[in-house]
Amino acid sequence: MRAAVTGAAGFIGSHLCAHLLAAGDAVVGIDVLTDYYDPARKRRNLAEAFRSPAFSFHPLDVLDPRTDALLDDVDVVYHLAGQPGVRPSWGREFALYTRHNVLATQRLLESVRDRPLRKFVHASSSSVYGDADRFPTPETACPAPVSPYGVTKLAAEHLCELYRTTYGVPTVSLRLFSVYGPRQRPDMAFARLIAAAAGGPPFPLYGDGEQTRDFTYVRDVVVAMRDVACSGFTGIANLGGGRPVSMRQAIAAVERVAGRVALDRRPALPGDARHTGADITVAARGFGFRPRTGLEDGLAAMAAHPAPEVSQE
């Protein structure tokens, strides 16, 4: 297949590009290289992809009209571009979240609505659920985001569903649960934990540490993305690791593979869901999703490929 990947230089995007290329696909990578973290680090994320003659990279904003031509003859669009992060999404920064998560998604859907796409795969987030009242949480649970970030991801989902039901665009929104692995963004928990174990800054633990997350290894996620593109499934599906653990348990797991972690205990922050856990029945039935990577195996892979630097904020 010929695929376009937005957000190609990011954590998940760079893994997806490598996976698609290994599967024999041609890949058009699109990424505006925002300064949410070091753009040079994002370019390094694509080192493996750049070795393939089937890969081309275009440092463009999805909202730039020049992206339209890049979608010519594309079979699948993987839309991973967006403004990440729950905690920074409050206040003045919200304009960035609406631009990169909502407006960019609508612009891309408009660009593809009359094209004969095989699939439009949108990377959504478990943040759309907020503090769910059922665990594991099925897709039928009423979304109730507790952060502005979650609101924008839910809005993008609604846009995908509108274009699917109104114009027949074959969209899939995958609600990703706490993805981790090598090249994880420097602001994310496991990147900070492994850096702390290696002698970096203490890990900021917000709240009591009993909050739970359904950690999902990045390789499992990108395999599922291509699998759903090759399937007949459309709509919304959860992608989770299948075994939620508390932050205390996650810290203990990091210590077993990487060494002792110094903690900086802080109060809980608004916008952080207390618990997350994915019911993956829809994905399993729809396109054969099954998480294959255990937490400690995934953490060992991260520890073996440490990031060059980690944000301390």
Side-chain angles (χ1 to χ4, degrees):
M1 296 185 293
R2 179 173 173 81
V5 178
T6 72
F11 161 44
I12 302 173
S14 62
H15 281 276
L16 177 61
C17 288
H19 175 62
L20 297 176
L21 292 164
D25 297 343
V27 177
V28 178
I30 303 168
D31 199 308
V32 72
L33 301 172
T34 67
D35 61 359
Y36 185 83
Y37 62 97
D38 184 5
R41 175 170 170 169
K42 296 178 183 180
R43 285 188 175 273
R44 289 195 295 272
N45 286 347
L46 287 172
E48 182 178 352
F50 277 125
R51 290 195 287 268
S52 172
F55 178 72
S56 63
F57 180 68
H58 306 269
L60 290 175
D61 191 323
V62 171
L63 288 164
D64 190 318
R66 289 177 293 175
T67 60
D68 286 354
L70 300 178
L71 303 179
D72 290 342
D73 302 318
V74 161
D75 301 300
V76 181
V77 173
Y78 298 92
H79 179 37
L80 279 63
Q83 187 72 6
V86 168
R87 293 167 188 150
S89 65
W90 300 89
R92 291 182 301 175
E93 297 300 308
F94 186 64
L96 284 175
Y97 286 80
T98 55
R99 185 180 195 280
H100 292 301
N101 296 350
V102 182
L103 297 179
T105 302
Q106 188 272 343
R107 175 72 174 79
L108 198 58
L109 288 164
E110 275 291 309
S111 297
V112 304
R113 77 177 196 181
D114 295 321
R115 298 174 186 263
L117 275 189
R118 182 168 183 170
K119 202 64 59 73
F120 182 101
V121 181
H122 166 237
S124 187
S125 168
S126 61
S127 292
V128 303
Y129 290 119
D131 287 314
D133 58 6
R134 292 177 60 189
F135 296 100
T137 306
E139 292 82 356
T140 53
C142 182
V146 293
S147 68
Y149 167 76
V151 169
T152 62
K153 296 303 285 186
L154 182 58
E157 272 192 17
H158 284 318
L159 286 166
C160 288
E161 287 295 283
L162 281 172
Y163 278 78
R164 182 172 72 86
T165 57
T166 304
Y167 294 109
V169 179
T171 65
V172 176
S173 290
L174 298 175
R175 292 175 174 170
L176 309 184
F177 281 69
S178 301
V179 184
Y180 73 102
R183 302 200 293 271
Q184 190 183 48
R185 288 197 332 262
D187 60 303
M188 297 181 75
F190 280 137
R192 288 182 164 193
L193 281 166
I194 288 174
F203 175 73
L205 177 61
Y206 295 94
D208 60 9
E210 295 303 322
Q211 61 269 40
T212 60
R213 294 292 181 267
D214 194 350
F215 295 107
T216 316
Y217 191 62
V218 65
R219 169 73 180 178
D220 293 335
V221 168
V222 300
V223 168
M225 287 180 167
R226 189 175 191 275
D227 285 348
V228 77
C230 294
S231 77
F233 180 86
T234 57
I236 296 170
N238 294 330
L239 293 187
R243 189 180 176 185
V245 299
S246 72
M247 282 306 302
R248 289 183 183 275
Q249 292 171 320
I251 291 166
V254 170
E255 291 185 327
R256 286 193 291 272
V257 301
R260 183 181 177 277
V261 174
L263 299 178
D264 175 11
R265 297 181 181 277
R266 302 182 183 183
L269 292 178
D272 286 351
R274 180 67 174 168
H275 302 292
T276 68
D279 181 333
I280 58 174
T281 303
V282 169
R285 292 175 178 171
F287 46 95
F289 174 67
R290 181 166 65 90
R292 300 175 182 273
T293 310
L295 181 61
E296 290 198 17
D297 289 340
L299 290 174
M302 282 190 73
H305 300 89
E309 76 283 327
V310 173
S311 169
Q312 299 183 32
E313 294 301 322

